[in-house]
Amino acid sequence: MMEVRVLRLDHRRVRDARITTHVCLTARALGASGVFLSGDHDKKLMGNVQDVVKRWGGNFQVEYCKKWGNLLEEWKDKGGEIVHLTMYGEQVQDVTPQIRSSPRDKLVVVGGSRVPSKVYQEADWNVSVTTQPHSEVSALAIFLHMLYDGKELDLEFENGDMKVIPSARGKNVVMKNKTEKNNLDEKVTGDD
Amino acid sequence: MMEVRVLRLDHRRVRDARITTHVCLTARALGASGVFLSGDHDKKLMGNVQDVVKRWGGNFQVEYCKKWGNLLEEWKDKGGEIVHLTMYGEQVQDVTPQIRSSPRDKLVVVGGSRVPSKVYQEADWNVSVTTQPHSEVSALAIFLHMLYDGKELDLEFENGDMKVIPSARGKNVVMKNKTEKNNLDEKVTGDD
């Protein structure tokens, strides 16, 4: 199966901390195998995401990428393809079948405040999730969901410290050494 | 067709400004008709979202809701149903067909840092988008996408000042009075 990694451009430590964290966690939860962070080298954020991976399982790589231009070139040299998510691109519902049909690894690029034209030019596909302004987090989520055709919702994450058992009402979290049920005031996320 | 509104619980002015903005813009772009914001009464954020609505078109209501408990009761009294997005809920791929098959209006609740047990109890459905920690923005996006069965991607937003024409490379934005093409350094979002 193709490997999917996400490149987050132009991360700014203070302003983007939560959005970039949500980009990373969305990439992980929806089946990407790692993220490259460009812009500020935010070790705290990277540590927080790695902590989620440790607690919740699966494999997910978090890497800093100082020169994203080189990464784009290396990715293509190794036979991978590049998908740039932008509200100006071709519509996701039109191009995803074609993107999915190519078995090559995919680098999904999500922008920062200003995306250089080089990204538009290097991308194999510029893809828009609606032509409206919204969020790189939701654009990434819907693109991955459509790329994987919904199968990402059934992914299993192995070797975590805890696991949620879906429940109509309340919380059912299985810890490695104990089971917690219906503790409705407990907060268990990687973000807050 | 059913009306969908989003309730964002426990907004905190400084910490949540960007995430809540992304929640609002995601709700709008993916077909909800409005959002209720609870927690801090953040008029600046509400103004920013209303500005996006004015510039990009369509109808989208942004309202402050001081007492979300009353809103839940009023919503149900008027015949509406409540969907609470939580990583502890039933899986979205299992319950969305049932949710979609009911024509009643839907209030989609997305949490803040801690969600009171009352929300779990009042909700007609507690729904998880994966059982992993990620983002209320991506959970909302995928839920709306699945609820609308992808049709939200073809929505037209009327009466905006500008409109994006999908493009394989570059930017093509039609303004009310002029056309801008391939101005790759321009930033057009509601967020940055």
Side-chain angles (χ1 to χ4, degrees):
Chain A
M1 190 164 163
M2 76 173 80
E3 186 184 350
V4 176
R5 298 221 177 192
V6 172
L7 166 61
R8 202 295 191 246
L9 295 174
D10 193 24
H11 169 68
R12 295 160 298 176
R13 197 183 308 262
V14 176
R15 181 173 168 82
D16 295 332
R18 292 187 74 211
I19 294 288
T20 300
T21 301
H22 285 219
V23 165
C24 294
L25 296 181
T26 295
R28 172 185 171 274
L30 300 178
S33 55
V35 67
F36 299 100
L37 296 172
S38 198
D40 290 346
H41 192 166
D42 191 339
K43 291 180 184 170
K44 184 176 168 218
L45 184 154
M46 294 171 72
N48 287 344
V49 176
Q50 281 156 343
D51 190 50
V52 170
V53 177
K54 185 177 171 300
R55 282 186 289 144
W56 291 91
N59 292 308
F60 186 78
Q61 306 297 319
V62 187
E63 294 171 60
Y64 179 65
C65 167
K66 193 177 176 71
K67 298 184 176 172
W68 56 263
N70 294 355
L71 176 64
L72 299 188
E73 281 166 32
E74 285 163 21
W75 191 266
K76 292 174 98 165
D77 286 347
K78 285 195 285 185
E81 293 172 317
I82 296 170
V83 178
H84 171 221
L85 299 182
T86 161
M87 64 184 285
Y88 305 103
E90 295 181 279
Q91 294 198 272
V92 65
Q93 64 271 41
D94 296 336
V95 295
T96 301
Q98 188 196 0
I99 298 172
R100 195 194 297 122
S101 72
S102 161
R104 292 163 183 254
D105 291 344
K106 302 289 185 291
L107 183 67
V108 182
V109 184
V110 296
S113 53
R114 283 173 192 272
V115 176
S117 60
K118 181 183 168 73
V119 177
Y120 289 81
Q121 285 149 14
E122 293 287 324
D124 295 281
W125 293 276
N126 290 286
V127 177
S128 71
V129 176
T130 83
T131 53
Q132 297 294 314
H134 51 107
S135 168
E136 54 268 54
V137 180
S138 47
L140 177 63
I142 287 185
F143 174 70
L144 292 175
H145 176 71
M146 292 178 75
L147 181 68
Y148 289 125
D149 211 10
K151 294 184 181 69
E152 83 290 346
L153 297 172
D154 297 314
L155 278 176
E156 293 282 340
F157 291 78
E158 304 294 338
N159 302 318
D161 296 336
M162 45 198 184
K163 186 176 175 175
V164 169
I165 310 300
S167 166
R169 227 158 280 277
K171 300 181 184 180
N172 188 355
V173 183
V174 179
M175 315 291 278
K176 239 177 189 164
N177 299 313
K178 57 178 177 169
T179 303
E180 291 194 5
K181 273 203 185 187
N182 297 315
N183 176 8
L184 283 170
D185 293 322
E186 193 205 3
K187 172 72 176 173
V188 189
T189 80
D191 181 43
D192 284 286
Chain B
M1 189 161 162
M2 76 173 81
E3 185 185 350
V4 176
R5 298 220 177 195
V6 172
L7 166 62
R8 201 296 192 248
L9 295 174
D10 193 25
H11 169 67
R12 295 161 297 176
R13 197 182 307 260
V14 176
R15 183 176 168 79
D16 295 332
R18 292 188 74 211
I19 294 289
T20 300
T21 301
H22 286 219
V23 165
C24 294
L25 296 181
T26 295
R28 172 186 171 274
L30 300 178
S33 55
V35 66
F36 299 100
L37 296 172
S38 199
D40 290 346
H41 191 166
D42 190 339
K43 291 179 185 171
K44 184 176 167 217
L45 184 154
M46 294 171 73
N48 287 343
V49 175
Q50 280 156 343
D51 190 49
V52 170
V53 177
K54 184 177 170 300
R55 282 187 288 142
W56 290 91
N59 292 307
F60 187 78
Q61 305 297 318
V62 187
E63 293 171 60
Y64 180 65
C65 167
K66 193 177 174 71
K67 297 184 174 173
W68 56 262
N70 293 357
L71 175 65
L72 298 188
E73 280 167 32
E74 286 163 21
W75 191 267
K76 292 174 98 165
D77 286 348
K78 286 195 285 184
E81 294 173 316
I82 296 170
V83 178
H84 171 220
L85 299 182
T86 161
M87 64 184 285
Y88 304 103
E90 296 180 279
Q91 295 198 271
V92 65
Q93 63 271 43
D94 296 337
V95 294
T96 301
Q98 188 196 358
I99 298 172
R100 196 193 298 122
S101 73
S102 162
R104 291 163 183 256
D105 291 343
K106 303 289 185 290
L107 183 68
V108 182
V109 185
V110 297
S113 54
R114 283 172 190 274
V115 176
S117 59
K118 180 183 170 72
V119 178
Y120 289 81
Q121 286 149 16
E122 293 287 324
D124 295 281
W125 293 277
N126 290 287
V127 177
S128 70
V129 175
T130 84
T131 54
Q132 298 293 314
H134 50 108
S135 168
E136 53 269 54
V137 181
S138 46
L140 177 62
I142 287 184
F143 175 70
L144 291 175
H145 176 72
M146 292 179 74
L147 180 67
Y148 289 125
D149 211 8
K151 294 184 182 67
E152 82 291 346
L153 296 173
D154 298 313
L155 277 176
E156 292 283 339
F157 291 78
E158 304 293 338
N159 301 319
D161 296 334
M162 45 197 184
K163 186 175 175 178
V164 169
I165 310 299
S167 166
R169 225 158 283 276
K171 300 182 183 179
N172 187 355
V173 183
V174 179
M175 316 290 280
K176 239 176 190 165
N177 298 315
K178 55 176 178 169
T179 303
E180 292 194 5
K181 272 204 186 187
N182 297 315
N183 176 4
L184 283 170
D185 292 322
E186 194 205 2
K187 172 72 176 173
V188 189
T189 80
D191 180 43
D192 284 284

